[in-house]
Structures are given as structure tokens and as C-alpha cells.
Amino acid sequence: LLAFWMEEVTPFYWILQKLIFILGGMFFPIHFLPHWLQQTARYLPFAFSAYWPGIVMVDFSFESFYTGAAGQAVYIIILSGLAMVLFGLGKRRIHVQGG
């Protein structure tokens, strides 16, 4: 969706991947972070894409499973709404050249 406003969006993809690596627990587990950052990172969308599924696979508990599934569902709803709004804004801005 950023391509409506930016010509090159690859750097944004790289930034997102690095955030998933660090704040999502892929590079090292979230519980290795400082306590204040742990509490924040644990409930960011990056953690629900990497940390919580990993915890469920490594050390299964229904509490972890439900926490991860509920967080993913909430972020799917929030980010889908945001994507629809951004797409609507981008559609109004686009100017297509013939060819």
C-alpha cells in the first residue's frame, strides 16, 4: 500500500523484517530483552507473527495458544481495517497513464 505514495518500498519491507527479528523474538527470545521492553514487545504484532507461534510449538500450553490466537485475530481485524482505509486513500490519489 505504500507504493501509492513511495516509488520504492523495499526499504520498508526490510525495516519490517528487522522489527520482526528483534521485537518478534526471532533473533533472540523476548524474555532476554529488558523488562520494560519485554512487556511492550510481547503484545506487538511482531510477536504475534513469530514469538507466540514459536512458544506454542516449543512449550505447548492452552494459555499460550489462546493468547497467540486471540492476539492474531485482534491484529488481523485492526490491520485489515487500516489496509482498507489506506487503499481507499490511495485509490483517490492514483493517476493511471495509458499504455
Side-chain angles (χ1 to χ4, degrees), residues 95-99:
H95 176 70
V96 178
Q97 299 288 336

Side-chain angles (χ1 to χ4, degrees), residues 48 64-77:
F48 287 107
S64 296
F65 174 77
Y66 291 135
T67 300
Q72 288 175 351
V74 166
Y75 275 114
I76 285 172
I77 292 167

Side-chain angles (χ1 to χ4, degrees), residues 10-72:
T10 306
F12 293 102
Y13 175 75
W14 293 335
I15 291 168
L16 179 65
Q17 289 300 312
K18 299 320 167 227
L19 287 171
I20 291 173
F21 284 159
I22 296 169
L23 296 177
M26 286 182 69
F27 192 64
F28 48 82
I30 288 179
H31 60 270
F32 285 177
L33 296 173
H35 183 71
W36 63 271
L37 189 54
Q38 268 184 41
Q39 299 306 317
T40 304
R42 191 175 300 241
Y43 296 104
L44 290 174
F46 314 114
F48 287 107
S49 69
Y51 175 74
W52 288 105
I55 289 296
V56 169
M57 289 303 214
V58 171
D59 185 24
F60 182 81
S61 74
F62 282 105
E63 180 182 350
S64 296
F65 174 77
Y66 291 135
T67 300
Q72 288 175 351

